[in-house]
Amino acid sequence: DDLEDEEAVVSTQSTGGLKTMENARFYAVSTELSTPVESTEGKTLVVQFCVKHEQKIDCGGGYLKLFPSTLDQTQMHGESPYNIMFGPDICGPSARRVHVIFNYRGKNLLLKKEIRCKDDELTHLYTLIVRADNTYEVRIDNKKEQSGKLDEDWDFLEPKEIADPDASQPEDEEEDDLEDEESAFDNDVEVESSSDKEEAAETPETPEIKDEL
């Protein structure tokens, strides 16, 4: 789908950017949206920005965060609560991913699928599309890298069945299991420790035990 066909909730234009100058430092800049987003019901949300790593980095990231209107920009820091975090993250040769994190009921929910980010020195366009039918799509340079349903790829919903921490196995079942294990162990010892051929021949065969899954 062409982005021009999407009814975007957030649409901002900028000709500038943020360039970091020193290694191993955190940088951040924020701006208030000219039109607050009060509701995304029945609409499509598009988050899009460019990232360029001008040097081969081994650890670093470039994220875009959407904060709630309650954010105090003068006190913004790395732990400030956000609604959405989106962008590439590089940490070593194996961890090179695109983060898509939603804050839901106070918890930051991570995408359960893997999206590899670009790690060269070129400029790349990262796009997140969240549609009204609860589906999403992630593009890099306008090429679809991942898509799916929100409730399947994030843990928005509680699991249908959860383990009961108070549940325990009945004592009689535990005793039966223990007796079975001891019996099987005794049979093995008798067969293996018998050195007399006649006694070994007269020893009844140990019944075959089949695993039932």
Side-chain angles (χ1 to χ4, degrees):
D1 298 336
D2 193 339
L3 285 180
E4 293 180 357
D5 296 333
E6 303 285 355
E7 184 182 355
V9 175
V10 179
S11 178
T12 61
Q13 295 181 353
S14 175
T15 57
L18 177 65
K19 182 176 182 179
T20 60
M21 303 302 295
E22 298 181 36
N23 294 333
R25 293 195 63 180
F26 292 96
Y27 293 84
V29 63
S30 67
T31 184
E32 187 175 356
L33 295 175
S34 58
T35 303
V37 180
E38 297 181 357
S39 174
T40 59
E41 184 177 357
K43 300 178 182 179
T44 297
L45 173 68
V46 179
V47 180
Q48 186 178 72
F49 69 112
C50 292
V51 177
K52 180 182 181 182
H53 299 301
E54 294 188 341
Q55 59 182 353
K56 283 287 185 179
I57 65 172
D58 185 61
C59 185
Y63 318 120
L64 191 150
K65 294 181 178 180
L66 295 181
F67 294 92
S69 59
T70 55
L71 172 71
D72 182 353
Q73 291 176 258
T74 62
Q75 301 296 322
M76 186 181 70
H77 52 81
E79 299 301 320
S80 296
Y82 57 84
N83 294 328
I84 298 176
M85 175 176 140
F86 171 59
D89 179 35
I90 297 175
C91 188
S94 58
R96 297 169 183 262
R97 63 175 63 87
V98 177
H99 279 303
V100 185
I101 304 176
F102 293 100
N103 184 283
Y104 182 67
R105 295 181 177 178
K107 295 182 180 181
N108 291 334
L109 306 182
L110 277 66
L111 175 64
K112 293 187 285 187
K113 292 179 178 178
E114 192 77 13
I115 306 175
R116 187 171 178 85
C117 67
K118 302 296 183 180
D119 56 4
D120 53 35
E121 300 174 40
L122 304 176
T123 300
H124 295 284
L125 178 67
Y126 289 83
T127 305
L128 168 65
I129 306 171
V130 182
R131 297 186 173 89
D133 60 357
N134 289 330
T135 61
Y136 76 97
E137 184 177 332
V138 174
R139 302 180 186 178
I140 302 179
D141 299 331
N142 210 29
K143 176 185 176 182
K144 183 171 70 174
E145 299 291 339
Q146 195 58 264
S147 64
K149 297 181 179 180
L150 297 178
D151 59 349
E152 293 180 354
D153 294 346
W154 286 267
D155 291 327
F156 285 104
L157 303 178
E158 295 292 337
K160 295 181 179 179
E161 294 184 3
I162 60 176
D164 185 354
D166 298 326
S168 61
Q169 188 176 13
E171 293 183 2
D172 55 346
E173 290 187 11
E174 292 180 355
E175 293 177 356
D176 291 342
D177 292 343
L178 182 58
E179 291 176 358
D180 292 341
E181 291 177 1
E182 291 177 348
S183 176
F185 178 75
D186 291 341
N187 289 337
D188 290 341
V189 171
E190 289 177 3
V191 173
E192 293 176 1
S193 63
S194 176
S195 59
D196 187 83
K197 294 183 179 180
E198 292 183 0
E199 292 180 1
E202 295 175 358
T203 302
E205 296 182 358
T206 302
E208 182 181 1
I209 300 176
K210 296 183 179 180
D211 294 331
E212 295 184 1
L213 300 179

